[in-house]
Amino acid sequence: QMCEKFAVCQNSVEMLLQNNLNLPKVTEEDGLYLLKRTVQNKCLRKISSGLYTFQTYLKYIQETFTSENQNVESLSYSAEHLARTIRQMVINPEEVIIPDAATQESLHTKLKSTKAWTEKITIHLILRDFTSFMEKTVRAVRYLKNTRSFSV
C-alpha cells in the first residue's frame, strides 16, 4: 500500500540512504533451529525483546500514518500480546529485554524528528523490517511447536 499510495518502493535511493533505524532482526546465528534448548531459549528471548522494541516504532507509525490508525493499533496490540506470550515461553522471562520508558521516549523523539519528506520512507522501512521479523518469528514458533512439548 505504501508503494502504491506514496511511491515509496524498495529501490528508492532515498530509502537506502535513510536506513539507519537499527530495527530488531532474527538471524540464523541466533540458533533457533539448533536442537539445544538453551540456544532456542536465547532465540525466544531475542524474538520477545524484538517485539517489545518494535512497539515504539509501531507507535510512531500510528501517530504518523493516521489514515491507517486502526490497523496499526491492532497490529501493535497483537505484537505486544505475542511478545508477552513468547516471553512466558522463555526459561527465565526476566531476561527478556523490554525497553524502559526513557529508551522508548528517546527513540520516539528521534523518529519524530524525521523530516517530512523521509517520513514515508521511514514508515516503509519499519513495516518492511517488521514483516521480515514476523515471518521469521512465525517460522520459529512453528518449529518449536513441532519440536517441543508446549502449545502456542
Side-chain angles (χ1 to χ4, degrees), residues 10 15-16 19 123-133:
Q10 292 275 0
M15 184 181 341
L16 298 173
N19 193 0
I123 291 170
H124 179 79
L125 289 169
I126 293 168
L127 291 173
R128 183 194 68 190
D129 283 13
F130 182 73
T131 300
S132 174
F133 189 90

Side-chain angles (χ1 to χ4, degrees), residues 48-60:
S48 185
S49 296
L51 288 167
Y52 279 115
T53 299
F54 265 113
Q55 290 302 303
T56 305
Y57 292 99
L58 293 173
K59 178 183 175 188
Y60 165 76

Side-chain angles (χ1 to χ4, degrees), residues 73-94:
E73 184 177 2
S74 175
L75 180 67
S76 181
Y77 174 80
S78 298
E80 185 174 6
H81 178 73
L82 182 59
R84 283 192 308 267
T85 301
I86 291 176
R87 184 173 184 240
Q88 292 171 355
M89 295 164 53
V90 174
I91 294 169
N92 293 316
E94 308 79 41

Side-chain angles (χ1 to χ4, degrees), residues 1-112:
Q1 282 182 337
M2 289 289 296
C3 187
E4 292 169 14
K5 220 175 203 181
F6 302 112
V8 177
C9 299
Q10 292 275 0
N11 298 327
S12 170
V13 174
E14 294 94 333
M15 184 181 341
L16 298 173
L17 292 174
Q18 293 299 319
N19 193 0
N20 59 358
L21 295 173
N22 195 27
L23 294 160
K25 295 186 183 346
V26 177
T27 64
E28 280 190 39
E29 291 80 39
D30 294 322
L32 178 68
Y33 300 108
L34 298 176
L35 296 176
K36 287 183 163 181
R37 187 174 170 98
T38 55
V39 177
Q40 290 176 353
N41 189 62
K42 175 185 167 196
C43 187
L44 288 173
R45 275 196 322 264
K46 183 162 185 176
I47 289 171
S48 185
S49 296
L51 288 167
Y52 279 115
T53 299
F54 265 113
Q55 290 302 303
T56 305
Y57 292 99
L58 293 173
K59 178 183 175 188
Y60 165 76
I61 293 173
Q62 188 176 350
E63 293 171 354
T64 308
F65 195 26
T66 54
S67 65
E68 296 296 324
N69 190 347
Q70 283 187 313
N71 290 336
V72 179
E73 184 177 2
S74 175
L75 180 67
S76 181
Y77 174 80
S78 298
E80 185 174 6
H81 178 73
L82 182 59
R84 283 192 308 267
T85 301
I86 291 176
R87 184 173 184 240
Q88 292 171 355
M89 295 164 53
V90 174
I91 294 169
N92 293 316
E94 308 79 41
E95 293 177 351
V96 171
I97 298 168
I98 301 173
D100 61 21
T103 302
Q104 290 176 1
E105 186 58 36
S106 173
L107 175 58
H108 190 256
T109 301
K110 178 184 171 193
L111 290 168
K112 291 299 273 183

